[in-house]
Amino acid sequence: MLSASMVALAPSAALAFENEPADESTAAIEPQSSELSEVIVTAERRSVGLQKAPIAVTAVTAETLEQGNITNVTGLNGVVPGLVVARSGGGELMVAIRGIGSETPENTNTQPGVSYHVDGVYIFNSIAASAAFIDVAQVEVLRGPQGTMFGQGSTGGTINVVTNQPELGTYGGALSVGVGNYDLSKTSAALNIPLGDTFAIRGAVQTYRHEGYAYATGVEGTDHYDLDEADETGWKVSALWAPRDDLSITLSAISYDSDTNGPAQKNILDPESDPRILSQDYPGKSVVETDLYSASLKWDLPWATFKSISSYQKLHSMQAWDADGLTADLFYDLTYDPRIFTGTAYDHVPLWESDTESYTQEFNLASNTDGPFQWIGGVVYLQSENAQYVIEYRDDDDNIMRPALPKDTPFDDPAVASVTYAELSSIERKSWAAYFQGTYDLTDQLSLTAGLRYNKDEYSGASGSYSGGDPGFTSGAHLQPTARPGLTTEEVTGKVSLDYQFTPTNMVYASYTRGYKPGGLNSASDSGTDWQAIKATFTPETVDAFEVGSKNRLLDNRLQLNAAAFLYSYSDMQFLEEDPVLFYEGISNAPSAEIYGLELEGSWLATPKWRFDGTLSFTEGQFDEDYFALDPVSAAQAQSDAGYPGYLFWSNFYNAALARNSARANINGNDVPKIPGRQGSVSTTYSDNIAGGFVTAKLEYVYRGEYVYRLFNEASTDIVPAYSTVNLFLRYEPEAANWNVSLTGSNLFDEEGLNSRFSDPYGSAQVSDTYIAPRQWIASIGYKF
């Protein structure tokens, strides 16, 4: 996979993070090119050559995405140094950079450690990440905390997805159709239409469908219930109005819909050895609908450029899955153990529904004059409300296909008998920030950059929950959300860096950055007892990051070598933890960890026809302070060992809670989750004029190293083994023609690579594996005009 961070063989290509038009041809390889050409990035909201940016940043072009059949952020695993994208339960993604991301995806009110932006707009929920990959120009991955300028600050890094924008005076478009195994079909179309000298519209639509890579065998009515399928439709419409040379306004609408049977999550107890065959009996479901509307204004003043970026977002997500991950008889047989869950025959989640509505507004002002001092300042406002309804069944009766109950069901209704947990909540978050950053050229070669950001976050909301066997519910009682204690946090973050340009093509830099992720509310942690460990609120997490790096061009611009080394002091990592009180799971803070590593990237244009690219990263991280954390599985075993399995917890609340609390274990010295010790990629690309056309052939090897999934570091459940894949891409473009044909082969050796090993913190606390896609062939034909 061609990493544009190593500078593509292409004309200069600007990442349109600030809603500036992007050239659709930026990913093309110039025939017989004799040197590496520069990529322009807006890594810190300024257009600058990637080799001049004093920050670890990788740019991935639309061409790279196409060649690797990368349709969402998960496909970037192993390609971007330090990046890990792991699947969680339902449709959530856990994105981590250098070991810092989100350990709380099941709580949709928390903020990710890696912030996500589309055309300058912050995306609030990782479930909506797939919507970003519509009409993409480039993807920019900034590694390390972003403490100053981005709409949402972050502790781990930032991913900016840049879509193609309307262009004045240019009529053109593109069409692509692809088919492959697993009944795959992949289509995309885009059209740019200028209307007069000052107005242009661009529209794009795309679809992606394939049959399931895996299937469940026990669902009633079929022995082949598809999982890991795709059925996605997305479209984007943008309008650009530029009435004057110094003023432009861009309006954009993006919509994405996905309706599938959900991901394949294979219980590690499943006796079926084939990873693509699951012994499950509940029909999973995943529906995601998201819309993003944005408006961007750019006004060039004589001394600065003013920008306004506004957005409105909606997300509807409906997930349902087999929480026990087995058929009822297997689950009963395999877990009928007094140490775990006595007599439980099934555990199902028929509904986990989230509805998010969000607004963002940013104003910034940046210098646009020559001189030794360049600066940018701005203010940001974010508002988001997330409503959530969850219901879960656990029982040993014969009715294993219970539907989700309406939200207003009385909880003394007979239908509630099998409900083990239900939650109805609505949490609102408001965030304000102001930032300023400037760069001063101390000499022609030495520059100093410094910036500060003030952050203020407010949380408020209401929630109600029901736990099976909970004696607190009286006759006719409903799930009644009650007001939660509010939370306000404030933090000052920022950065300072020095960069020295030894020659026009060799530079070094050193930086310090402070990153911040706000705290929040736990929606179901209000037992009001002395045993409560999960508090009503959790605190912010912060990171102090030190980094040194070097960027170099050698051999007459034919060889590029970049390196970055970093050391993080990470405080108060937010993670999901069990509570001694049954069903009161929530978010806690692990006090301290140290993370360090080295990242290498290189490109070598050996000849005008042969090019070699590679990435390699080494990362380590350990918790370095005492903290006694409670693992859900360990708590359940201790509870059963004490003679109070399952719902019998409520028969002797004190002793059962005491037993669960005794299972705490010290995490000091444990590995930080989501850190492969090694990962990387290497590829070779051959391009030449052959048989009356231009041929591109690329072979790539990607390695994703072993990592631990959770901070508990349980050897039997938390180790995610390494895997490697080999990918192939071929394309032929006839001379003087507007069409091309291509063949993509991903995972050529059909590696059964384990993407993640998910330990469900709720219900029966089962552990399941999710796998990377199997071998995939895609033949495509494209046309441009």
Side-chain angles (χ1 to χ4, degrees):
M1 204 166 294
L2 180 63
S3 176
S5 66
M6 299 163 215
V7 181
L9 293 173
S12 293
L15 284 177
F17 181 42
E18 298 172 322
N19 281 347
E20 296 178 354
D23 183 357
E24 290 184 47
S25 67
T26 57
I29 296 180
E30 292 181 345
Q32 312 304 316
S33 180
S34 60
E35 65 177 31
L36 298 170
S37 61
E38 188 66 82
V39 170
I40 306 299
V41 300
T42 54
E44 294 195 316
R45 299 223 172 185
R46 269 181 196 288
S47 296
V48 60
L50 184 144
Q51 293 301 102
K52 303 289 186 180
I55 186 173
V57 55
T58 296
V60 183
T61 66
E63 180 83 349
T64 300
L65 301 176
E66 177 190 1
Q67 291 176 0
N69 189 30
I70 299 174
T71 59
N72 57 52
V73 68
T74 307
L76 298 177
N77 269 318
V79 178
V80 176
L83 175 68
V84 171
V85 185
R87 288 189 174 275
S88 182
E92 298 93 356
L93 295 176
M94 300 179 72
V95 183
I97 296 178
R98 296 173 173 174
I100 300 180
S102 172
E103 294 301 304
T104 61
E106 292 79 17
N107 186 325
T108 53
N109 302 309
T110 60
Q111 303 306 304
V114 176
S115 61
Y116 212 90
H117 296 79
V118 177
D119 292 334
V121 175
Y122 173 63
I123 304 300
F124 284 81
N125 195 308
S126 68
I127 296 177
S130 296
F133 282 65
I134 298 175
D135 198 23
V136 176
Q138 298 192 76
V139 179
E140 185 181 36
V141 182
L142 285 74
R143 306 192 295 279
Q146 306 304 310
T148 306
M149 294 178 293
F150 285 91
Q152 168 62 55
S154 65
T155 47
T158 292
I159 298 176
N160 305 322
V161 178
V162 182
T163 66
N164 291 302
Q165 299 297 308
E167 296 183 55
L168 298 175
T170 300
Y171 178 83
L175 175 67
S176 177
V177 177
V179 295
N181 56 340
Y182 292 94
D183 282 343
L184 180 143
S185 66
K186 185 178 181 181
T187 64
S188 64
L191 181 64
N192 191 88
I193 304 175
L195 300 174
D197 296 332
T198 62
F199 195 79
I201 296 177
R202 180 183 177 90
V205 62
Q206 63 187 50
T207 65
Y208 181 61
R209 294 179 174 86
H210 62 71
E211 289 185 346
Y213 297 141
Y215 64 90
T217 60
V219 174
E220 185 176 352
T222 179
D223 60 0
H224 193 114
Y225 186 81
D226 268 4
L227 297 168
D228 269 351
E229 58 181 354
D231 187 0
E232 306 171 7
T233 301
W235 58 262
K236 176 177 178 286
V237 176
S238 299
L240 168 65
W241 181 45
R244 304 185 329 210
D245 290 342
D246 60 356
L247 178 66
S248 65
I249 299 173
T250 303
L251 304 177
S252 179
I254 300 176
S255 181
Y256 169 87
D257 293 282
S258 173
D259 188 347
T260 72
N261 290 346
Q265 298 173 313
K266 186 178 179 70
N267 194 318
I268 62 172
L269 301 177
D270 193 330
E272 169 59 57
S273 60
D274 191 323
R276 311 289 181 185
I277 302 177
L278 286 67
S279 303
Q280 296 181 2
D281 54 19
Y282 193 81
K285 194 68 177 174
S286 176
V287 174
V288 176
E289 301 169 355
T290 182
D291 299 289
L292 170 62
Y293 306 94
S294 63
S296 176
L297 180 147
K298 179 182 177 183
W299 182 18
D300 289 322
L301 303 170
W303 52 279
T305 297
F306 171 79
K307 291 180 181 177
S308 169
I309 303 173
S310 312
S311 80
Y312 168 68
Q313 305 169 45
K314 290 193 303 180
L315 168 68
H316 171 72
S317 169
M318 190 281 288
Q319 312 289 323
W321 68 92
D322 192 330
D324 60 68
L326 297 166
T327 58
D329 55 344
L330 280 173
F331 186 51
Y332 185 87
D333 291 342
L334 294 173
T335 64
Y336 193 73
D337 186 320
R339 294 175 305 166
I340 311 179
F341 306 103
T342 302
T344 297
Y346 65 87
D347 181 1
H348 297 155
V349 179
L351 184 62
W352 188 310
E353 184 177 39
S354 294
D355 288 281
T356 302
E357 192 171 20
S358 310
Y359 307 85
T360 70
Q361 176 61 57
E362 177 173 0
F363 300 107
N364 66 59
L365 196 64
S367 60
N368 60 8
T369 58
D370 294 331
F373 183 56
Q374 300 294 316
W375 53 266
I376 182 172
V379 292
V380 182
Y381 174 72
L382 310 174
Q383 179 179 334
S384 178
E385 182 168 332
N386 184 76
Q388 185 167 267
Y389 178 55
V390 183
I391 189 162
E392 179 179 11
Y393 292 110
R394 284 184 61 202
D395 211 331
D396 58 1
D397 59 26
D398 294 329
N399 187 8
I400 64 172
M401 301 293 289
R402 294 181 183 276
L405 294 174
K407 298 176 184 179
D408 58 354
T409 302
F411 270 65
D412 61 345
D413 189 290
V416 182
S418 298
V419 171
T420 187
Y421 182 75
E423 177 190 323
L424 183 62
S425 63
S426 179
I427 304 296
E428 184 179 44
R429 177 197 172 202
K430 297 180 180 179
S431 177
W432 297 265
Y435 63 84
F436 182 87
Q437 181 166 303
T439 299
Y440 186 76
D441 295 332
L442 300 173
T443 70
D444 291 342
Q445 295 173 294
L446 181 64
S447 297
L448 171 67
T449 298
L452 284 175
R453 176 186 174 107
Y454 168 76
N455 306 270
K456 182 178 181 180
D457 294 270
E458 292 183 357
Y459 285 88
S460 61
S463 66
S465 63
Y466 169 84
S467 302
D470 190 338
F473 270 76
T474 58
S475 177
H478 296 251
L479 277 178
Q480 293 288 351
T482 57
R484 307 290 296 140
L487 175 70
T488 299
T489 62
E490 297 179 271
E491 189 79 18
V492 175
T493 58
K495 72 172 294 180
V496 60
S497 70
L498 281 169
D499 62 272
Y500 187 79
Q501 199 78 38
F502 285 97
T503 74
T505 58
N506 302 90
M507 64 97 75
V508 295
Y509 66 89
S511 67
Y512 162 77
T513 309
R514 183 170 179 83
Y516 157 82
K517 184 169 79 171
L521 305 180
N522 280 314
S523 59
S525 55
D526 53 359
S527 68
T529 71
D530 293 339
W531 287 107
Q532 183 174 350
I534 306 302
K535 305 303 181 184
T537 63
F538 52 92
T539 61
E541 66 178 39
T542 59
V543 60
D544 292 306
F546 303 87
E547 181 173 322
V548 294
S550 178
K551 298 188 175 185
N552 305 277
R553 285 286 190 87
L554 307 165
L555 302 181
D556 296 326
N557 248 4
R558 292 187 294 111
L559 176 65
Q560 179 172 303
L561 294 174
N562 294 341
F566 58 91
L567 173 64
Y568 289 174
S569 178
Y570 191 16
S571 300
D572 294 319
M573 186 189 82
Q574 299 164 8
F575 73 100
L576 284 173
E577 187 180 9
E578 186 72 357
D579 192 273
V581 179
L582 189 63
F583 301 120
Y584 284 96
E585 301 91 348
I587 297 176
S588 294
N589 296 90
S592 178
E594 184 178 82
I595 303 173
Y596 51 93
L598 173 67
E599 299 164 346
L600 304 171
E601 298 178 283
S603 291
W604 178 35
L605 185 60
T607 74
K609 298 178 182 179
W610 286 97
R611 171 182 173 133
F612 301 89
D613 298 291
T615 69
L616 184 62
S617 62
F618 305 89
T619 313
E620 298 288 339
Q622 290 82 36
F623 294 98
D624 55 6
E625 285 189 19
D626 289 343
Y627 183 84
F628 289 83
L630 186 57
D631 182 346
V633 175
S634 300
Q637 289 178 340
Q639 177 187 334
S640 292
D641 288 344
Y644 307 103
Y647 297 163
L648 292 180
F649 172 90
W650 302 102
S651 67
N652 193 321
F653 179 89
Y654 180 88
N655 286 335
L658 182 64
R660 289 166 61 85
N661 196 58
S662 68
R664 291 189 174 277
N666 195 352
I667 64 169
N668 193 350
N670 284 7
D671 289 343
V672 176
K674 316 300 185 303
I675 298 182
R678 293 169 296 167
Q679 69 174 0
S681 64
V682 61
S683 67
T684 179
T685 305
Y686 177 79
S687 55
D688 197 6
N689 290 296
I690 300 174
F694 187 64
V695 173
T696 301
K698 177 181 172 184
L699 185 66
E700 176 193 50
Y701 172 81
V702 177
Y703 176 80
R704 208 275 337 261
E706 177 182 287
Y707 68 85
V708 298
Y709 189 83
R710 303 181 307 158
L711 58 72
F712 301 103
N713 284 201
E714 289 292 336
S716 61
T717 58
D718 290 341
I719 304 300
V720 181
Y723 70 81
S724 58
T725 60
V726 176
N727 307 312
L728 175 69
F729 177 77
L730 302 170
R731 181 173 57 201
Y732 176 73
E733 300 173 86
E735 292 182 1
N738 294 332
W739 60 273
N740 67 80
V741 293
S742 63
L743 178 67
T744 300
S746 56
N747 193 7
L748 293 185
F749 296 102
D750 206 18
E751 174 83 5
E752 295 173 350
L754 200 60
N755 170 266
S756 64
R757 174 162 284 173
F758 171 64
S759 295
D760 191 346
Y762 305 119
S764 54
Q766 296 301 293
V767 179
S768 58
D769 291 340
T770 60
Y771 289 84
I772 64 174
R775 178 169 48 239
Q776 186 79 69
W777 293 100
I778 304 174
S780 303
I781 183 168
Y783 179 75
K784 291 185 178 182
F785 60 93

